[in-house]
Every structure is written in structure tokens, then in C-alpha cells.
């Protein structure tokens, strides 16, 4: 690490310390009166006209209802451009929001935690041409807390009301207090972006940020895992094929109900209750209430007949139709961290060496370890490379994993050395 970069990082840290000493201003309401929710073609056309005529970056956010609804997606889109104001748009009222994306054109999007919002915005026809992610910028600057509320406090001295963060945004009509909360999520994003960009420049990390933001433009969420029922939280307690069959049948039954009623899975049967039923394999409905996790799940108990019918179907399966103990492997896939530790000790030991290097260099560069190198890339290196792999081979894997040039520049030598130290 160069002396110049160290001094820039120290300057960035002192800047954050000075901002943390300021007095905070609590903001409960948007600066400007909110217009009504945009939910008609005429209103959307007006918004598109105003946005297209505006200038500067566009702050965007979405509100979802994943804890309440089965079908994921945006239930509210918040947009702000400094010279046009804030607009709250109901995406469920339109086939898509492609006209809004066209109105934004090539202007920079400002998002906080872009990978959360981009898939849902893409689903309704909106894709950025230029991007700034305030959370990613904060990780490059090694902020300890990088949630939106924490950042506005640390960087701008502004505290935001966050009381509706867990609300059901599929509710219609949306209460006024919720709309004001949603508007605040984009109210200060432009100011936050400008302040973070200055800090990135002072720390000598502006080029790194540009590489990261360019890479984000092509982000796609990971493909669903095979046998998703194996990934219910707590499923590690379910071992035998017969119990796994019960888990699968319960999960599939729950999924059908959720899809039919558009309810989040935990609004139908809690995960602890589902796992407990699959472990206990009760042989009668009367025994189900003796299982504490099920007994405590009021909503799940209302469908006791349905769950017992699912269990009964799993009991009748012949042995050759029972699921295997291990999940099917996807060709070319790298095991997750838990599988590394339990089933692949040699690769796990190599992974630990590589991970330690990533953490060490992240600390030297004063960046968050999450942004230094994607954890999946670190596992892939440990999985596909042998000990003592030559530098060109390590470089090939990093490039195939879409590591950015700044990451490769700072990590390559250390990763090669880690592979050589058995």
C-alpha cells in the first residue's frame, strides 16, 4: 500500500470523525409538500415530461412487501430530481414503467444498496445507463455502519424517521405518514452522493468506485438453487430421507397456498413449525399440538388438516421416491461456506488462507472486506485452484469471476502467496 494512499485514507477517516461530532437534525417530513401517488396514465405522463425536462442525477428507491406477500416486486417507486421534486409512483397501476425509464434517459441513477432495488426496477422496465450506489461508496470508504439512515447521520448530520421500514407496502391506499417516510428515502440521496464522492476523491478511491458502479450496471440476481425446500432456515436439523420427504411435501404444500393467496410463506406456516413437523413426523393430528413450535404458530394451526395431509403423503412414498440426503450438485457450482467446512476440509483450509489475505489487504486499504472481493470468488479460487497455482492461473480465475482491475491489482500477489503457503 502506498504512503500516499495511507495518508488519503487517514484523511478520509478524520473527515468522518469530524462529521460524527456534529449535532444531528431530526427530519420527519419532506421539505416540499407531496403530490398524490402517481397511479393514472395521465399523471404518469406528466411525471415523465417533468423528469425528462429536468437535469442532474435521479435518486430512486423502491418499497416492497416481502414479509407479507408471496409475489415479490416493487409496490412503490420513489423518484427525486433536484429541479423537479419528489414523485411517488404506484407501479402496480401500470403494465410497466418503461416510459419513466426513457424519461430518465442517460442520467445517473442514485440508489442505496443497488442490488436490492435493481431487479425489481428491471422487472417493471427500468434499467440504468449510469449508476452511483451510496452503500457501495460507504463500503469503499470503510464506514462501520452503512445503512441509509446511518449514512445520512454520519455524513450529512441528518436523522431520518424510520418507523415504517417494516410496513406492508401492498396496502392500498397508503397512509400519508407512510408516503412521507418513503419520500424521505430519496430526499437526501443527491446530497449524500455528492458528499461521498468528495470523500472517495480525497481517499484516492474514485477510480475504484467508478469500476464498481460500472460493474453494477450488469448485475443479475443469482439463479434459484435446486431443491429450494432444502434451504428453509433450520433445515440442517432434518437428516434422513423420510424426514426430508416430509420437509419437501410440507414446503411444496405451503408454496401452493402462498401462490394462490399471495401470502408470504411465514404468514401461512412458520419456518420453525415446518421444520419441527418434518423432524417429529407426527402420526396423527392430535400429536401435532404436542410439538411446541407448531403449537405456538397460531396461523399454521388453522390449517392443521392441510399439514397432516401433506405429512401423510410423504409417509406413503416408496423408498425409491425419497429424496437423497445430499442436495444435487449443479455442474460447475462452488459449495457454500457451510459445505466447505463440513465436506471439503482440504479446500476449506485453502479457502481460509485466501480469505485471511482478502481481510488483511482490505484493512490495509481501509475498505470493507465485503467489497474487497466477493466471498463467492474467494471460495471459487479455493475450489478450482490447486496449492502452488501459478499467477496466470489465479489471474484467469479472478477475471472469469469478474473481479475488477483495482481488486486484481491489490490482491493478485497476496493470493498467489497464500496458495503456496500450505
Amino acid at each position: 500500500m502506498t504512503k500516499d494512499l495511507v495518508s488519503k485514507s487517514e484523511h478520509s477517516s478524520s473527515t468522518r470523525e469530524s462529521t460524527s461530532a456534529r449535532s444531528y437534525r431530526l427530519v420527519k417530513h419532506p421539505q416540499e409538500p407531496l403530490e398524490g401517488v402517481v397511479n393514472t396514465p395521465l399523471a404518469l405522463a406528466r411525471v415523465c415530461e417533468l423528469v425528462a425536462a429536468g437535469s442532474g442525477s435521479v435518486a430512486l428507491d423502491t418499497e416492497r412487501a416481502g414479509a407479507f406477500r408471496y409475489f415479490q416486486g416493487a409496490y412503490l417507486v420513489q423518484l427525486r430530481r433536484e429541479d423537479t421534486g419528489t414523485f411517488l409512483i404506484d407501479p402496480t397501476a401500470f403494465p410497466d414503467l418503461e416510459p419513466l425509464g426513457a424519461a430518465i434517459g442517460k442520467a445517473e441513477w442514485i440508489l442505496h444498496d443497488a442490488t436490492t432495488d435493481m431487479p425489481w426496477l428491471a422487472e417493471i422496465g427500468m434499467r440504468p445507463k449510469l449508476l452511483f450506489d451510496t452503500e457501495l461508496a460507504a463500503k469503499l470508504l470503510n464506514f462501520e455502519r452503512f445503512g441509509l439512515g446511518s449514512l445520512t447521520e454520519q455524513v450529512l448530520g441528518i436523522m431520518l424517521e424510520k418507523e415504517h421500514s417494516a410496513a406492508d407496502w401492498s396496502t392500498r391506499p397508503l397512509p400519508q405518514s407512510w408516503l412521507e417516510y418513503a419520500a424521505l428515502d430519496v430526499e437526501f440521496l443527491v446530497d449524500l452522493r455528492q458528499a461521498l464522492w468528495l470523500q472517495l476523491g480525497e481517499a484516492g478511491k474514485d477510480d475504484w468506485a467508478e469500476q464498481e458502479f460500472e460493474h453494477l450496471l450488469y448485475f443479475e440476481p443469482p439463479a434459484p438453487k435446486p431443491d429450494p425446500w432444502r434451504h428453509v432456515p433450520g433445515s440442517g436439523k432434518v437428516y434422513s430421507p423420510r424426514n426430508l420427504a416430509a420437509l419437501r411435501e410440507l414446503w411444496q404444500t405451503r408454496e401452493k397456498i402462498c401462490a394462490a393467496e399471495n401470502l408470504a410463506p411465514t404468514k401461512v406456516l412458520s419456518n420453525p413449525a415446518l421444520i419441527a413437523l418434518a423432524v417429529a413426523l407426527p402420526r396423527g393430528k392430535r400429536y401435532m399440538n404436542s410439538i411446541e413450535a407448531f403449537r405456538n404458530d397460531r396461523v399454521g394451526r388453522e390449517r392443521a388438516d392441510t399439514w397432516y395431509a401433506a405429512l401423510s403423503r410423504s409417509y406413503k412414498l416408496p423408498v425409491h421416491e425419497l429424496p437423497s440426503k445430499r442436495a444435487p450438485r449443479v455442474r460447475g457450482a462452488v459449495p457454500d461456506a457451510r459445505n466447505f467446512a463440513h465436506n471439503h476440509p482440504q479446500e476449506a483450509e485453502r479457502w481460509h488462507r485466501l480469505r485471511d489475505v482478502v481481510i488483511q489487504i482490505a484493512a490495509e486499504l481501509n475498505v470493507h472486506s465485503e467489497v474487497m472481493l466477493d466471498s463467492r470468488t474467494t471460495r471459487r479460487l479455493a475450489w478450482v485452484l490447486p496449492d502452488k497455482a501459478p499467477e496466470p492461473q489465479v489471474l484467469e480465475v479472478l477475471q472469469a469471476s469478474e473481479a475488477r482491475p483495482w481488486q486484481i491489482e491489490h490482491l493478485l500477489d497476496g493470493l498467489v502467496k497464500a496458495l503456496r503457503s500450505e
Side-chain angles (χ1 to χ4, degrees):
M1 181 179 181
T2 66
K3 187 175 181 180
D4 182 52
L5 187 56
V6 171
S7 65
K8 286 181 177 179
S9 297
E10 289 174 350
H11 175 72
S12 177
S13 298
S14 65
T15 301
R16 292 203 300 276
E17 288 169 7
S18 65
T19 58
S20 66
R22 75 174 75 183
S23 58
Y24 297 135
R25 175 166 64 95
L26 177 63
V27 176
K28 295 184 177 182
H29 308 286
Q31 301 172 64
E32 306 143 6
L34 285 178
E35 298 186 15
V37 174
V38 176
N39 56 12
T40 67
L42 186 62
L44 181 61
R46 174 179 170 273
V47 169
C48 290
E49 183 179 340
L50 291 170
V51 170
S55 60
S57 301
V58 177
L60 285 158
D61 189 30
T62 65
E63 301 296 344
R64 299 168 301 281
F68 299 89
R69 299 297 170 192
Y70 180 75
F71 295 107
Q72 301 296 294
Y75 282 90
L76 188 72
V77 173
Q78 305 101 285
L79 180 150
R80 180 175 178 81
R81 208 168 197 175
E82 287 300 284
D83 56 358
T84 58
T86 298
F87 302 102
L88 304 179
I89 302 144
D90 180 1
T92 68
F94 307 99
D96 58 61
L97 291 182
E98 287 186 9
L100 184 60
I104 295 171
K106 296 181 180 179
E108 177 188 71
W109 289 23
I110 306 173
L111 293 168
H112 185 80
D113 187 11
T115 57
T116 298
D117 292 302
M118 283 176 62
W120 310 122
L121 290 167
E123 188 177 73
I124 53 179
M126 298 180 65
R127 292 174 178 80
K129 303 291 192 300
L130 194 63
L131 181 64
F132 190 103
D133 183 343
T134 51
E135 181 183 84
L136 183 48
K139 289 180 178 179
L140 284 167
L141 292 165
N142 206 20
F143 279 79
E144 291 184 8
R145 296 177 296 127
F146 38 78
L148 179 58
S150 296
L151 282 183
T152 56
E153 289 180 29
Q154 295 172 85
V155 178
L156 303 177
I158 292 170
M159 296 176 65
L160 300 177
E161 283 280 9
K162 301 300 289 183
E163 61 181 308
H164 301 303
S165 58
D168 178 4
W169 291 92
S170 67
T171 301
R172 293 295 183 272
L174 288 165
Q176 182 64 23
S177 61
W178 294 19
L179 297 176
E180 292 183 354
Y181 159 85
L184 288 176
D185 276 349
V186 293
E187 181 96 2
F188 300 101
L189 272 182
V190 174
D191 293 340
L192 182 60
R193 177 251 188 261
Q194 303 291 14
L196 290 172
W197 181 245
L198 287 175
Q199 291 194 27
L200 287 165
E202 291 169 356
K205 298 174 180 177
D206 45 351
D207 180 57
W208 302 357
E210 288 180 341
Q211 292 179 38
E212 291 297 323
F213 300 152
E214 174 71 19
H215 180 258
L216 262 184
L217 289 174
Y218 307 99
F219 170 78
E220 294 288 343
K225 295 179 180 180
D227 287 358
W229 53 270
R230 292 182 185 267
H231 304 287
V232 175
S235 59
K237 301 173 185 176
V238 186
Y239 303 108
S240 76
R242 185 62 66 183
N243 294 89
L244 288 168
L247 173 61
R248 180 178 63 187
E249 195 66 43
L250 288 165
W251 183 88
Q252 290 175 343
T253 301
R254 185 175 71 171
E255 287 289 296
K256 290 176 183 176
I257 295 170
C258 292
E261 301 182 19
N262 193 18
L263 290 173
T266 55
K267 298 296 182 183
V268 175
L269 179 68
S270 71
N271 289 326
L274 188 151
I275 295 297
L277 290 172
V279 169
L281 299 182
R283 291 291 170 172
K285 281 191 297 182
R286 60 176 178 166
Y287 297 112
M288 293 170 68
N289 280 332
S290 67
I291 301 169
E292 183 178 4
F294 183 74
R295 188 170 64 248
N296 293 337
D297 184 0
R298 179 184 58 80
V299 174
R301 289 200 319 271
E302 293 175 358
R303 304 179 195 259
D305 289 345
T306 301
W307 311 129
Y308 187 69
L311 287 167
S312 298
R313 289 193 295 273
S314 73
Y315 300 158
K316 296 173 184 176
L317 288 175
V319 172
H320 68 273
E321 291 184 16
L322 298 179
S324 62
K325 288 185 178 181
R326 289 195 178 184
R329 286 286 307 279
V330 177
R331 187 177 180 81
V334 178
D336 60 25
R338 186 178 67 177
N339 278 336
F340 253 71
H342 287 285
N343 301 318
H344 308 284
Q346 183 177 353
E347 289 81 0
E349 194 277 331
R350 190 183 300 137
W351 169 48
H352 290 145
R353 280 185 271 137
L354 294 168
R355 187 183 59 181
D356 289 345
V357 166
V358 173
I359 293 171
Q360 176 189 343
I361 294 176
E364 291 173 1
L365 297 178
N366 196 29
V367 302
H368 198 282
S369 59
E370 287 181 12
V371 80
M372 191 69 241
L373 190 66
D374 187 275
S375 60
R376 291 169 294 185
T377 300
T378 311
R379 291 201 305 274
R380 184 174 293 110
L381 288 164
W383 183 250
V384 304
L385 293 174
D387 287 322
K388 299 183 174 60
E391 181 176 300
Q393 202 172 352
V394 179
L395 176 60
E396 182 181 0
V397 176
L398 286 171
Q399 290 175 333
S401 303
E402 299 182 355
R404 272 64 80 199
W406 76 270
Q407 295 171 321
I408 294 173
E409 175 189 350
H410 290 96
L411 284 171
L412 181 58
D413 184 58
L415 294 172
V416 171
K417 289 178 180 177
L419 286 168
R420 290 174 181 166
S421 58
E422 298 180 54

